[in-house]
Amino acid sequence: MRVLISGAAGFIGSHLVDYLLAQGHEVVGVDNYVTGTRAHLEHLKGNPRFLMIPHDVVQPVRVDGPLHQIYHLATPSSPQAYALHRLETIKVNSIGTLNLLELSLEKQARFLLASSSGIYGDVVVTPQREDNFGNCNPVGLRSQYDEGKRFSEACAMAYHRERQADTRIVRIFNTYGPRMSVGEGRVIANFVRQALSNEPLTVYGDGTQTRSLCYVSDMVEGVVAAMNGDFHEPINLGSPEEVSIVQLARQVLELIPGTTSKISFEQSLAYDPRVRRPDITRAKQILGWSPKVALKEGLQKVIEWLRQERKAQERR
Ligand code: NAD
Ligand code: UDP
């Protein structure tokens, strides 16, 4: 197949590119590099099955030749990144989504939206099932992202219902792994970087807030399974293993025995959700998918990756 990925130079996007190429497909990557990294795709230079198009998907997307599938991942995605790029976030999650849905109709390509656990907002019921409609503040500090994703889901369903677009929606929960952005303040990247540098691990608030953290290879498999399935309604993808942020900080410290870092409790973030845990019954039943990589194993892989990155930086 010939597959387009918006957000191909990002963390999850670049892993998805590698996965689809390894499966023998042709991949067209589209990215404007607002939060992406060219280096994530450098190893693919000269690969005849990979084409990179530097482009902002807020502008109409034109691609020569056939396309069979479109994965729409493009958007600033960490709280820090979408606070820094509010307008870009709201535009890519509205105009960008509409542009790619139009492209999917033009090419008769299947369309998958990478939505987010953000659509559940500050949840009152946990774990979150897909029939939970969320608790979001439309004018809150995260609304450009949360409401953007909610609108994108509405766009996918409207195109599916009225124009018979062949759409899929996955709601991605916190994902981590090599290539996650180290400068964007995401919790695992922060804690591992801080522990390797013997700096304090910054826990925001009292650290009792929880997250469920999914390793990136599991996430990519789930996203591809959803694309290749035949279910149009949203499917949660994420780890059902919930951990408090302070527990996570302790676990990172245990895995880096030589570190002199200690935990430092800092001011809590505005609109920081208290809990996040997906109910993945639907993904299990419909896709036969559930994550395989345990948190400890995944953390060890991130630690090893960041160690190598630091060594490479020192050599440069
Ligand atoms: P990322 O920031 O690493 O990747 C997103 C990519 O999109 C970047 O390369 C960026 O440059 C690109 N992009 C942004 N706006 C664009 C535009 N207008 N045109 C073209 N390219 C554009 O983020 P990620 O963590 O890889 O997230 C990928 C997807 O998964 C996103 O849709 C995100 O909302 C979703 N998601 C991720 C997580 C997570 O924990 N990483 C959690 C929930 C949902
Ligand atoms: N967090 C933290 N210290 C950090 C970075 C994040 O305590 O250095 C917390 C943050 O307040 C949130 C959780 O970790 O409760 C996950 O944050 P992240 O930005 O990774 O993702 P989110 O789930 O908020 O999108």
Side-chain angles (χ1 to χ4, degrees):
M1 281 187 293
R2 192 158 186 257
V3 182
L4 182 139
I5 302 173
S6 80
F11 161 49
I12 301 176
S14 64
H15 285 283
L16 183 60
V17 172
D18 286 341
Y19 185 92
L20 293 173
L21 287 173
Q23 286 199 325
H25 301 298
E26 265 183 61
V27 177
V28 179
V30 181
D31 206 296
N32 68 350
Y33 302 106
V34 60
T35 55
T37 308
R38 282 182 171 78
H40 290 344
L41 299 172
E42 227 154 54
H43 59 287
L44 300 176
K45 261 190 191 148
N47 185 324
R49 286 189 289 113
F50 180 61
L51 171 69
M52 189 65 202
I53 307 179
H55 180 75
D56 182 339
V57 299
V58 171
Q59 305 305 323
V61 186
R62 291 188 191 85
V63 179
D64 292 333
L67 286 177
H68 304 101
Q69 295 185 336
I70 296 173
Y71 289 87
H72 179 29
L73 275 68
T75 175
S77 84
S78 70
Q80 198 168 309
Y82 57 69
L84 200 65
H85 304 288
R86 286 184 200 282
L87 295 185
E88 272 166 313
T89 302
I90 201 82
K91 284 183 191 170
V92 73
N93 286 300
S94 51
I95 306 166
T97 302
L98 292 170
N99 283 339
L100 288 169
L101 280 162
E102 284 295 328
L103 184 68
S104 82
L105 288 182
E106 179 200 323
K107 301 285 186 185
Q108 298 199 342
R110 191 173 279 187
F111 172 93
L112 178 139
L113 171 70
S115 184
S116 168
S117 57
I119 69 102
Y120 295 114
D122 199 4
V123 294
V124 264
V125 182
T126 198
Q128 290 83 65
R129 250 178 32 182
E130 290 87 347
D131 58 3
N132 175 330
F133 301 144
N135 178 32
C136 288
N137 178 351
V139 294
L141 287 171
R142 296 182 179 221
S143 59
Q144 69 279 18
Y145 181 76
D146 296 349
E147 296 295 346
K149 289 292 188 186
R150 291 170 72 89
F151 181 70
S152 285
E153 289 198 10
C155 292
M157 291 313 293
Y159 270 71
H160 173 64
R161 290 181 177 127
E162 194 165 312
R163 307 280 304 277
Q164 289 75 50
D166 190 14
T167 54
R168 308 283 181 274
I169 299 171
V170 290
R171 291 182 180 156
I172 296 177
F173 282 65
N174 295 66
T175 303
Y176 71 100
R179 298 187 196 156
M180 68 188 303
S181 168
V182 181
E184 279 187 12
R186 281 201 179 274
V187 67
I188 288 185
N190 267 13
F191 287 174
V192 173
R193 185 193 60 74
Q194 290 162 340
L196 290 176
S197 319
N198 298 312
E199 290 169 17
L201 268 61
T202 51
V203 169
Y204 303 146
D206 62 6
T208 55
Q209 72 269 36
T210 67
R211 292 295 185 273
S212 307
L213 300 147
C214 183
Y215 191 69
V216 65
S217 58
D218 282 330
M219 182 54 65
V220 166
E221 282 176 13
V223 170
V224 172
M227 174 64 107
N228 294 323
D230 55 10
F231 196 72
H232 299 289
E233 302 277 329
I235 302 179
N236 285 341
L237 294 177
S239 165
E241 242 184 274
E242 195 173 7
V243 63
S244 77
I245 296 304
V246 72
Q247 274 175 312
L248 179 69
R250 289 197 194 107
Q251 197 167 354
V252 169
L253 291 179
E254 275 167 26
L255 291 173
I256 307 181
T259 182
T260 58
S261 296
K262 300 267 182 300
I263 293 173
S264 162
F265 291 92
E266 312 280 330
Q267 200 183 349
S268 49
L269 299 182
Y271 294 99
D272 196 4
R274 293 290 312 154
V275 279
R276 282 266 181 80
R277 180 171 146 221
D279 180 323
I280 59 164
T281 309
R282 188 176 269 181
K284 279 186 185 159
Q285 285 175 348
I286 292 179
L287 309 176
W289 176 88
S290 57
K292 297 189 273 266
V293 181
L295 181 59
K296 184 176 175 190
E297 186 188 345
L299 285 175
Q300 278 164 332
K301 287 177 197 277
V302 173
I303 292 167
E304 189 44 38
W305 164 69
L306 261 188
R307 279 203 173 111
Q308 297 305 330
E309 286 288 292
R310 287 157 65 94
K311 277 190 195 149
Q313 251 174 18
E314 281 163 20
R315 281 197 298 273
R316 280 198 286 268

